[in-house]
């Protein structure tokens, strides 16, 4: 008997579409994002989740609510599941960030230009910061279902990636080589044994109608 953890990224927002950093800002889904959420809901329902958790930000809760309608589950929100706080990048496209904060942007680029180099941006969380808050929440979510149960957690692209590599105990080289989840795509992990470890069984799965849809940020 093994538990299964589904990490689902929220649907698209208008800010995703133009590459504007959202972080902790509360941005709602756009029309495409709502359609993505409605398309993925029956696919998640087919996995027979016993529980449904979500970040408390609107783009995640709106996605989770579409799943709740199909499954009949209640959505449990938790602010520990939020996206990275992106500090001074909040609300900016990359070109706007470069124009407003040239030294910080240059440091960001030198550090690799990814969330894993977030400490180059003043006020931003690092990958260690995110792991510290999100991993306990995911462990609680997994423990909330029966021994053969499944829990779906609706979150965010970069934070879910940080969580996944933390749960699998991967090193930084693996972090940088793994692309982020697309909007309304999910990863699945199952318990690997008595020691409580997890094994990755699927990554970036999504509803067929949206397999070609991509987003930024």
């Amino acid at each position: 008997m093994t538990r299964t953890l589904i990490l689902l990224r929220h649907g698209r927002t208008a800010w995703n579409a133009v590459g504007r950093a959202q972080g902790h800002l509360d941005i709602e889904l756009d029309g495409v994002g709502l359609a993505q959420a409605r398309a993925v809901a029956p696919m998640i329902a087919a996995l027979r989740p016993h529980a449904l958790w979500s970040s408390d930000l609107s783009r995640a809760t709106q996605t989770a609510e579409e799943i709740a309608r199909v499954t009949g589950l209640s959505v449990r929100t938790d602010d520990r599941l939020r996206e990275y706080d992106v500090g001074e990048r909040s609300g900016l496209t990359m070109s706007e960030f470069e124009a407003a904060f040239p030294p910080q942007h240059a440091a960001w680029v030198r550090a690799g230009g990814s969330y894993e180099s977030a400490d180059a941006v003043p006020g931003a969380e690092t990958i260690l910061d995110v792991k510290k808050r999100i991993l306990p929440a995911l462990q609680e979510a997994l423990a909330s279902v029966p021994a053969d149960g499944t829990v779906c957690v609706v979150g965010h692209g970069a934070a879910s990636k940080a969580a996944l590599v933390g749960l699998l105990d991967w090193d930084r080289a693996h972090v940088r080589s793994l692309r982020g989840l697309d909007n309304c795509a999910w990863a699945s992990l199952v318990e690997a044994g008595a020691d409580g470890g997890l094994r990755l069984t699927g990554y970036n799965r999504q509803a067929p109608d949206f397999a070609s849809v991509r987003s930024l940020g």
Side-chain angles (χ1 to χ4, degrees):
M1 300 290 239
T2 58
R3 294 179 179 89
T4 299
L5 171 64
I6 303 297
L7 297 178
L8 175 70
R9 187 185 177 193
H10 61 79
R12 198 186 81 169
T13 70
W15 284 25
N16 284 145
V18 298
R20 194 172 297 281
Q22 297 174 117
H24 283 194
L25 297 179
D26 201 13
I27 311 302
E28 296 189 345
L29 299 181
D30 64 9
V32 169
L34 283 169
Q36 289 173 326
R38 289 166 183 161
V40 81
M43 299 187 71
I44 297 299
L47 301 175
R48 299 183 179 180
H50 292 76
L52 179 59
W53 289 46
S54 175
S55 157
D56 66 336
L57 296 176
S58 295
R59 56 194 185 272
T61 58
Q62 286 179 298
T63 303
E65 285 163 3
E66 295 300 326
I67 298 168
R69 289 190 184 98
V70 176
T71 61
L73 296 170
S74 298
V75 181
R76 176 170 173 176
T77 59
D78 193 318
D79 61 6
R80 294 175 296 173
L81 299 171
R82 287 185 175 189
E83 181 60 287
Y84 275 75
D85 184 340
V86 294
E88 292 186 3
R89 280 192 63 216
S90 295
L92 303 180
T93 64
M94 190 55 67
S95 60
E96 290 169 346
F97 175 51
E98 180 179 13
F101 303 99
Q104 290 87 345
H105 178 267
W108 167 274
V109 172
R110 287 195 301 273
S114 66
Y115 281 98
E116 291 75 54
S117 55
D119 52 3
V121 181
E125 287 185 298
T126 67
I127 189 171
L128 294 178
D129 294 329
V130 174
K131 286 180 181 178
K132 185 176 180 179
R133 63 173 167 82
I134 201 170
L135 292 183
L138 292 177
Q139 289 159 352
E140 288 177 27
L142 192 59
S144 73
V145 299
D148 61 347
T150 295
V151 58
C152 177
V153 177
V154 184
H156 305 269
S160 291
K161 179 181 172 182
L164 185 147
V165 298
L167 290 168
L168 297 174
D169 198 26
W170 286 356
D171 60 26
R172 290 184 71 88
H174 285 88
V175 176
R176 296 193 177 191
S177 66
L178 184 68
R179 62 167 291 171
L181 292 168
D182 292 317
N183 288 116
C184 270
W186 73 91
S188 55
L189 303 97
V190 299
E191 291 178 326
D195 62 355
L198 293 170
R199 176 167 53 89
L200 183 65
T201 57
Y203 191 76
N204 211 42
R205 294 178 172 172
Q206 53 195 303
D209 288 350
F210 291 95
S212 63
V213 175
R214 297 291 181 262
S215 68
L216 300 173

